[in-house]
Amino acid sequence: QELLVESGGGLVQAGGSLSLSCAASGRTFSSYAMGWFRQAPGKERELVAAISWSGIDTYYTDSVKGRFTISRDNAKNTVSLEMNSLKPEDTAVYYCARHLLGAIYPLDDFYIWGQGTQVTVSS
């Protein structure tokens, strides 16, 4: 069974940067789109960014466009999320997820999840 393990969360001041990484087990990582979700206390989980199997197609939710960058390394079975100009409203548990397909659409077809990593942005 494929496992996803996130790392890189922590506490940062507003305006700062953090880089999240997700390591995937298994041999099929390069065949599937990957995504980063987040869930803040009392809020629903939301898709933050997604990347296709090839890395060519990406998606970002409006609130992070221009600040976050998703990337992947299929040789290392990793997907990363570079987060810059962080805001207190970015505070959440961030989850890595695998898509059913190699393409990023439909956006709600993610079904394998990691355990999450906490990101806290202080004002």
Side-chain angles (χ1 to χ4, degrees):
Q1 183 177 354
E2 186 166 347
L3 295 175
L4 303 175
V5 179
E6 303 93 340
S7 61
L11 173 65
V12 65
Q13 288 188 332
S17 299
L18 277 177
S19 183
L20 305 182
S21 184
C22 172
S25 64
R27 300 180 179 181
T28 60
F29 174 81
S30 62
S31 298
Y32 297 97
M34 299 295 295
W36 284 97
F37 287 73
R38 67 186 178 187
Q39 187 166 22
K43 295 186 177 181
E44 293 187 354
R45 185 165 55 190
E46 67 167 339
L47 176 62
V48 175
I51 187 167
S52 64
W53 70 274
S54 64
I56 292 176
D57 296 319
T58 58
Y59 162 88
Y60 297 94
T61 193
D62 286 345
S63 63
V64 308
K65 284 180 181 177
R67 300 189 297 122
F68 290 12
T69 302
I70 189 171
S71 62
R72 68 187 296 160
D73 186 335
N74 286 340
K76 296 182 179 179
N77 279 18
T78 59
V79 58
S80 300
L81 186 68
E82 183 71 28
M83 305 184 293
N84 298 313
S85 302
L86 283 161
K87 304 175 181 180
E89 51 264 43
D90 294 319
T91 295
V93 178
Y94 283 70
Y95 299 89
C96 174
R98 201 199 89 173
H99 202 279
L100 282 171
L101 306 172
I104 59 177
Y105 296 99
L107 291 175
D108 56 353
D109 277 359
F110 289 87
Y111 82 110
I112 294 178
W113 303 87
Q115 294 300 305
T117 185
Q118 176 70 47
V119 171
T120 303
V121 184
S122 63
S123 57

